[in-house]
Amino acid sequence: MCGIIGFSGREQAAPILLDGLARMEYRGYDSAGIAVRAETCGLQVKKTKGRLQVLSTLTHGGADLEGTLGIGHTRWATHGEPNDINAHPHVSENGQIALVHNGIIENYLEIKEHLQKQGVTFTSDTDSEVVAQLLEFHYNECGSMLEAVGRVLRRIEGSYAFGIICSDYPNALIAARKDSPLILGYGENGNFIASDVTAVIKYTRDVAYMDDGEIAVVTPETIDVFDSELMPREKEHHQIDWDVSAAEKGGYAHFMFKEIMEQPEAIRKTVSPRIREGRVVLDDISLTAEYVKGISRIFVIACGSSYHVGMVSKYNWEHLLRRPVEVCLASEFRYSDPLVDESTLVLVISQSGETLDTMAAMREARRRGGRTLAIVNVVGSSIAREADDVLYTWAGPEIAVATTKAYSTQLVLMDLVGLYLADLLGTVSREEYDAVLAEMQALPEKMQRVLENFEDVQYFASRYFNHNSIFFIGRNLDYAMGLEGSLKLKEISYIHSEAYASGELKHGTISLIEPGTLVVALGTFAPLFDKAMSNVVEVKARGAEVLAVTTEMFREKMEKTANSTVVIPDTHPVLQPSLGVVPLQLFAYYVALQRGCDIDKPRNLAKSVTVE
Ligand code: AGP
């Protein structure tokens, strides 16, 4: 979704803004723009549809634009098609105020009509321009930008992160947020606002997270923060401890491939500190044994791949905890009148910690008395800060839109939490507890072995990349894993695919299997392997080409039936999806590569989905 950056400092702003926007390209966008205030020529705005490179060429890397104060934006279109006019920054009618916005203004039409009646002319189709015009209206009324921003915020409804500059203010930019991420960066040569820390990490590691309703005034020397009544607020500073190189490709062709390869290490970092003397230790959460024993039901709410982690966890947790686990898409949960009360534990899974649907669902769950435990990758993100408890996945920054290492670390962390709760409840045997933990510690090394065989998958991708419709089938955990394999393929290769529970095929979908249809058969879940094989035989009998994923234990049986087989190491069934998903990620990657797709920035998608 849209990326925002703002800088007020002692260096030329435009190159810094372009650099920051480049680091947020991964968020997904269709147009880009910057506005800079210069002593000599007031506000200068450059914006264009398409890649940031176009904007950079247009401004000679920003060198053309004088001035040390500016804002920048990458837009992911919501209101109005992606074009030069709808791109941000938007400028008020008298040319004095420029604004960038991430979010959606829900009552923009009503405000627009009101302003039109006052004679204001609009140039774009966006909701964001309405805010720029409304600001000018209130600024003319009160003569203070801060006061005008306060008035505008009281008038608008929806979600927003704003960066605003005004030609009357040579050094100050104003920022405000509600339900869209915005951080403040304290640099040596100036101060920043940005949608995420990747944009500013090159300049500073000293950041603060803006809260909903806050307004910040950023100058080269200071950042003053106010609440919605314009009363000053103190902000807690945080130090970012990851390295700039973590958000760079480091010799890999794509972030996605780099992140696939980083998975063993990411899992090690997520798991190791939480296992001590053969026990799961979750120091960072405050669930008491008494509370856990009173849990009547468990919800997992999430979107996309994080939701698929929930689907795997449902099988594992119900097996380990003997408690009902319901997995809900956050966008459905929030409007579903969910059955949540004080005895409901609500797991909230999100890589970014900023997914608006997930955040809204979490708030709804809390409003109804549920206790929320968030599994989040981005430290200091909104979900992490609002949940009752948070456990971080230590995957490091994930840049590719298609998640891989965040998914894998979410999966193992959910397994760890499941074991921890099952132990408190006394629903897991000592033997199984020890077996899962031992295998969990062996997981990075086993995953490394899967990764070392990447060329097998690369070869199969080169055989199958021309298929237009692909089915992923499996039972139980294999089915849940197939959901993720199918999503990976869809999002980066644009091939239509579906994941099906193998046993359900005969109830309708098997009619789509015809000679040559590619079926990715997942046969890694040992307890149901024979049943899964029967379904593989069924699709083969109807002419399907079968690419199978199975474990060492079943290699021989599978190779007799499938056309192609990828073999992964055996592990405890609870952890098998953690290994099984890796060839599926690689398959999606190599298929997309063969098809010439933009792997790290697939069409229409955004990394962090901050609108509803
Ligand atoms: C996964 O590859 C997708 N990019 C997407 O489904 C993602 O998992 C979803 O948008 C949820 O994001 P979150 O984990 O940041 O909340």
Side-chain angles (χ1 to χ4, degrees):
M1 296 272 128
C2 307
I4 288 179
I5 183 159
F7 175 69
S8 173
R10 290 174 283 277
E11 289 179 54
Q12 191 180 9
I16 292 174
L17 297 174
L18 289 172
D19 179 64
L21 291 179
R23 287 168 194 279
M24 288 190 290
E25 274 193 296
Y26 77 96
R27 295 171 68 89
Y29 71 103
D30 45 58
S31 45
I34 53 176
V36 174
R37 185 196 179 282
E39 215 48 69
T40 47
C41 46
L43 293 190
Q44 312 158 79
V45 178
K46 295 279 179 216
K47 54 185 189 172
T48 174
K49 181 185 167 188
R51 290 288 175 214
L52 201 54
Q53 190 52 47
V54 183
L55 181 66
S56 187
T57 308
L58 202 69
T59 59
H60 296 98
D64 290 357
L65 303 179
E66 276 178 50
T68 56
L69 172 74
I71 50 178
H73 190 265
T74 43
R75 175 176 188 245
W76 189 88
T78 58
H79 295 58
E81 62 174 283
N83 61 28
D84 292 358
I85 293 170
N86 289 333
H88 296 216
H90 289 287
V91 180
S92 66
E93 204 174 18
N94 67 6
Q96 270 196 302
I97 298 169
L99 163 146
V100 289
H101 169 218
N102 176 18
I104 290 178
I105 305 304
E106 285 160 8
N107 59 342
Y108 81 105
L109 274 178
E110 163 203 326
I111 300 171
K112 187 170 184 176
E113 276 168 24
H114 172 78
L115 290 171
Q116 279 169 329
K117 281 187 194 141
Q118 315 277 321
V120 178
T121 311
F122 288 81
T123 51
S124 79
D125 306 316
T126 66
D127 52 337
S128 312
E129 186 194 355
V130 172
V131 182
Q133 305 289 18
L134 187 63
L135 259 174
E136 179 184 302
F137 178 84
H138 285 295
Y139 181 54
N140 288 341
E141 252 179 11
C142 67
S144 150
M145 268 309 282
L146 185 58
E147 175 59 31
V149 170
R151 289 184 190 190
V152 165
L153 299 190
R154 285 193 282 279
R155 181 92 183 269
I156 60 176
E157 290 162 19
S159 58
Y160 50 78
F162 291 128
I164 301 158
I165 55 174
C166 171
S167 55
D168 289 345
Y169 291 74
N171 291 319
L173 76 86
I174 298 190
R177 92 153 250 179
K178 178 176 166 275
D179 294 341
S180 284
L182 204 56
I183 61 119
L184 305 168
Y186 302 81
E188 279 198 355
N189 283 327
N191 293 319
F192 294 86
I193 61 163
S195 296
D196 68 55
V197 290
T198 46
V200 303
I201 185 102
K202 189 171 149 194
Y203 306 97
T204 179
R205 294 172 175 278
D206 183 8
V207 304
Y209 303 103
M210 284 188 76
D211 288 314
D212 280 352
E214 286 182 342
I215 304 171
V217 178
V218 181
T219 70
E221 292 80 28
T222 55
I223 301 183
D224 295 316
V225 179
F226 304 89
D227 67 13
S228 55
E229 304 302 318
L230 304 185
M231 297 303 290
R233 296 189 75 163
E234 285 300 315
K235 293 303 289 178
E236 192 187 335
H237 287 228
H238 298 263
Q239 291 298 315
I240 304 301
D241 58 6
W242 48 264
D243 201 67
V244 184
S245 63
E248 289 172 349
K249 278 191 210 151
Y252 287 93
H254 297 96
F255 278 111
M256 185 181 176
F257 192 69
K258 174 179 179 249
E259 288 160 6
I260 288 174
M261 291 298 170
E262 284 172 349
Q263 289 180 108
E265 187 52 22
I267 287 178
R268 203 172 279 120
K269 281 189 178 152
T270 302
V271 167
S272 302
R274 293 173 168 130
I275 301 179
R276 276 179 240 147
E277 292 167 10
R279 314 297 298 166
V280 182
V281 181
L282 300 179
D283 288 334
D284 18 13
I285 59 172
S286 57
L287 297 179
T288 61
E290 192 192 351
Y291 170 79
V292 171
K293 286 184 180 132
I295 294 173
S296 62
R297 63 194 293 166
I298 296 164
F299 274 104
V300 181
I301 49 180
C303 303
S305 296
S306 298
Y307 168 80
H308 294 156
V309 169
M311 292 296 284
V312 172
S313 303
K314 176 183 168 66
Y315 289 106
N316 282 340
W317 281 36
E318 287 189 342
H319 164 69
L320 294 169
L321 273 73
R322 310 311 300 154
R323 292 284 188 284
V325 177
E326 201 171 324
V327 191
C328 285
L329 293 165
S331 53
E332 290 295 314
F333 177 93
R334 60 186 292 199
Y335 299 119
S336 66
D337 198 6
L339 293 168
V340 173
D341 62 22
E342 287 72 21
S343 67
T344 313
L345 176 64
V346 181
L347 270 295
V348 182
I349 308 179
S350 176
Q351 186 284 129
S352 60
E354 298 293 351
T355 303
L356 191 72
D357 283 323
T358 309
M359 192 156 65
M362 180 178 82
R363 286 179 181 161
E364 183 59 23
R366 294 189 79 202
R367 199 180 65 77
R368 288 170 186 254
R371 187 179 173 113
T372 53
L373 167 55
I375 305 281
V376 176
N377 193 42
V378 177
V379 175
S381 55
S382 304
I383 290 172
R385 285 181 296 137
E386 279 190 35
D388 295 307
D389 284 292
V390 60
L391 286 170
Y392 285 109
T393 48
W394 298 117
E398 191 179 63
I399 306 295
V401 165
T403 179
T404 52
K405 62 176 180 172
Y407 171 90
S408 295
T409 51
Q410 288 168 346
L411 213 52
V412 287
L413 190 47
M414 283 296 283
D415 291 334
L416 270 185
V417 180
L419 267 189
Y420 176 81
L421 297 179
D423 189 34
L424 286 177
L425 288 170
T427 49
V428 61
S429 69
R430 186 70 208 207
E431 293 70 44
E432 184 161 30
Y433 183 95
D434 290 345
V436 178
L437 266 198
E439 281 299 311
M440 179 100 65
Q441 285 163 301
L443 202 56
E445 184 270 319
K446 289 191 176 181
M447 190 178 273
Q448 194 60 49
R449 274 160 42 201
V450 180
L451 290 169
E452 277 157 17
N453 288 335
F454 73 92
E455 281 169 345
D456 291 355
V457 184
Q458 186 176 18
Y459 167 70
F460 294 136
S462 70
R463 263 178 78 177
Y464 297 125
F465 76 93
N466 266 331
H467 283 257
N468 289 323
S469 181
I470 299 178
F471 290 88
F472 288 74
I473 63 168
R475 285 171 179 264
N476 196 281
L477 288 170
D478 280 331
Y479 162 55
M481 182 172 89
L483 291 169
E484 177 60 7
S486 171
L487 179 64
K488 281 290 82 83
L489 190 71
K490 276 185 278 226
E491 60 182 334
I492 61 168
S493 75
Y494 317 141
I495 296 176
H496 170 257
S497 86
E498 276 190 62
Y500 248 80
S502 314
E504 184 63 12
L505 280 174
K506 57 188 172 295
H507 298 289
T509 311
I510 203 163
S511 64
L512 295 174
I513 306 292
E514 53 186 18
T517 305
L518 181 62
V519 173
V520 179
L522 307 171
T524 75
F525 184 61
L528 291 178
F529 179 80
D530 290 335
K531 300 270 178 213
M533 273 311 286
S534 311
N535 303 124
V536 176
V537 174
E538 281 162 17
V539 293
K540 274 283 310 227
R542 285 154 183 84
E545 176 88 9
V546 174
L547 166 62
V549 178
T550 193
T551 64
E552 288 291 356
M553 198 190 331
F554 300 115
R555 173 198 284 269
E556 220 174 287
K557 282 187 182 170
M558 189 59 99
E559 281 179 345
K560 279 189 192 142
T561 308
N563 301 83
S564 316
T565 307
V566 178
V567 181
I568 60 170
D570 292 292
T571 183
H572 189 284
V574 162
L575 302 174
Q576 203 70 66
S578 292
L579 294 179
V581 77
V582 175
L584 306 186
Q585 296 167 341
L586 286 167
F587 183 66
Y589 174 79
Y590 282 117
V591 167
L593 198 63
Q594 290 276 351
R595 293 167 75 99
C597 299
D598 188 350
I599 291 180
D600 285 337
K601 295 190 282 289
R603 71 184 179 207
N604 302 339
L605 293 179
K607 181 68 178 165
S608 175
V609 185
T610 52
V611 296
E612 187 174 349

